[in-house]
């Protein structure tokens, strides 16, 4: 088991009870509850069906913490809702790129797994092949914004960043965290830093 797992469990258990923590968009949906852990055999069956291998850190999360539930935005989706995506081809320089469901013929492209629902057509995905394997990206499936690649090295680091910044009462637009101070301000949406 990855040594970060016990630390993440302890942090997650304390978060709902922290009086000065940040509000996490979508927390009303998951209420910081965790779904059942996934077995190695269930993950292996999903990988075989889709012709992919889950990155180590995400596999550790699924088998030792939870297969769904508490996470940024609306939380980790259950395995039955995951979809394998491919990033749309590049258009004009600097134009955002969206995501489409990967068809079998496109499986030689860089693939991403849609693991967290953000609402509307916004997606939180995990790189499963190519140079972004293991990295978390957020974007819009229609290409209206992003994709933004997290600077976190892997899913467990990204998840811990969410817990730490929420615990510290910080604002973070990328993780949709709103500090207690900003929540009380009438112009809070214009003031949040884009960190």
């Amino acid at each position: 088991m990855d040594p970060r797992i016990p630390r993440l469990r302890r942090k997650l258990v304390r978060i709902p009870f922290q009086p000065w923590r940040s509000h996490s968009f979508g927390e009303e949906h998951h209420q910081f509850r965790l779904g059942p852990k996934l077995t190695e055999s269930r993950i292996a069956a999903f990988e075989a069906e889709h012709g992919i291998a889950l990155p180590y850190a995400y596999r550790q999360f699924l088998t030792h913490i939870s297969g769904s539930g508490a996470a940024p935005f609306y939380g980790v989706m259950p395995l039955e809702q995951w979809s394998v995506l491919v990033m749309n081809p590049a258009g004009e320089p600097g134009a955002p790129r969206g995501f489409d469901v990967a068809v079998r013929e496109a499986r030689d492209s860089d693939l991403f797994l849609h693991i967290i629902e953000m609402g509307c057509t916004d997606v939180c995905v995990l790189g499963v092949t190519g140079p972004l394997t293991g990295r978390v990206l957020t974007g819009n499936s229609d290409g209206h914004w992003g994709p933004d690649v997290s600077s976190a090295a892997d899913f467990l680091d990204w998840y811990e960043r969410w817990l730490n910044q929420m615990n510290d009462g910080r604002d973070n637009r990328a993780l949709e965290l709103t500090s207690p101070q900003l929540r009380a301000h009438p112009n809070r949406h214009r003031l949040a830093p884009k960190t």
Side-chain angles (χ1 to χ4, degrees):
M1 177 172 51
D2 190 288
R4 296 172 286 182
I5 297 293
R7 184 174 69 232
L8 292 175
R9 284 185 188 149
R10 286 190 303 271
K11 288 180 179 185
L12 181 59
V13 167
R14 291 191 296 249
I15 281 292
F17 306 103
Q18 297 294 339
W20 295 107
R21 71 170 175 83
S22 296
H23 176 268
S24 179
F25 173 79
E27 71 180 53
E28 296 84 7
H29 180 75
H30 56 72
Q31 298 178 350
F32 298 102
R33 293 186 187 132
L34 297 172
K37 299 172 194 168
L38 298 182
T39 62
E40 283 291 340
S41 61
R42 193 152 179 227
I43 292 171
F46 177 86
E47 291 174 326
E49 178 184 348
H50 296 282
I52 60 170
L54 295 185
Y56 168 81
Y58 191 56
R59 179 185 290 276
Q60 289 289 296
F61 180 86
L62 298 172
T63 58
H64 296 291
I65 295 181
S66 174
S68 64
F73 315 111
Y74 290 114
V76 174
M77 298 185 307
L79 175 101
E80 299 78 25
Q81 296 177 14
W82 296 348
S83 54
V84 180
L85 305 176
V86 63
M87 194 179 298
N88 294 339
E92 295 181 27
R97 295 167 68 183
F99 295 91
D100 283 319
V101 174
V103 295
R104 287 277 177 204
E105 297 77 38
R107 296 295 167 111
D108 59 346
S109 304
D110 296 345
L111 299 176
F112 302 88
L113 191 61
H114 183 194
I115 56 170
I116 294 178
E117 187 61 49
M118 294 177 62
C120 299
T121 58
D122 295 343
V123 294
C124 181
V125 300
L126 178 70
V128 291
T129 64
L132 295 175
T133 297
R135 303 286 294 278
V136 176
L137 293 81
T138 55
N140 180 274
S141 55
D142 294 332
H144 295 301
W145 64 274
D148 295 321
V149 181
S150 172
S151 61
D154 61 25
F155 183 83
L156 293 176
D157 284 349
W158 181 79
Y159 195 84
E160 188 165 26
R161 179 181 295 168
W162 172 66
L163 293 171
N164 289 343
Q165 292 188 355
M166 193 175 1
N167 182 66
D168 295 344
R170 296 186 55 194
D171 295 311
N172 184 319
R173 278 192 188 174
L175 292 172
E176 291 284 341
L177 295 176
T178 309
S179 68
Q181 296 84 2
L182 191 58
R183 284 192 85 186
H185 196 282
N187 295 320
R188 66 181 178 259
H189 300 294
R190 284 183 259 166
L191 299 174
K194 289 187 176 187
T195 58

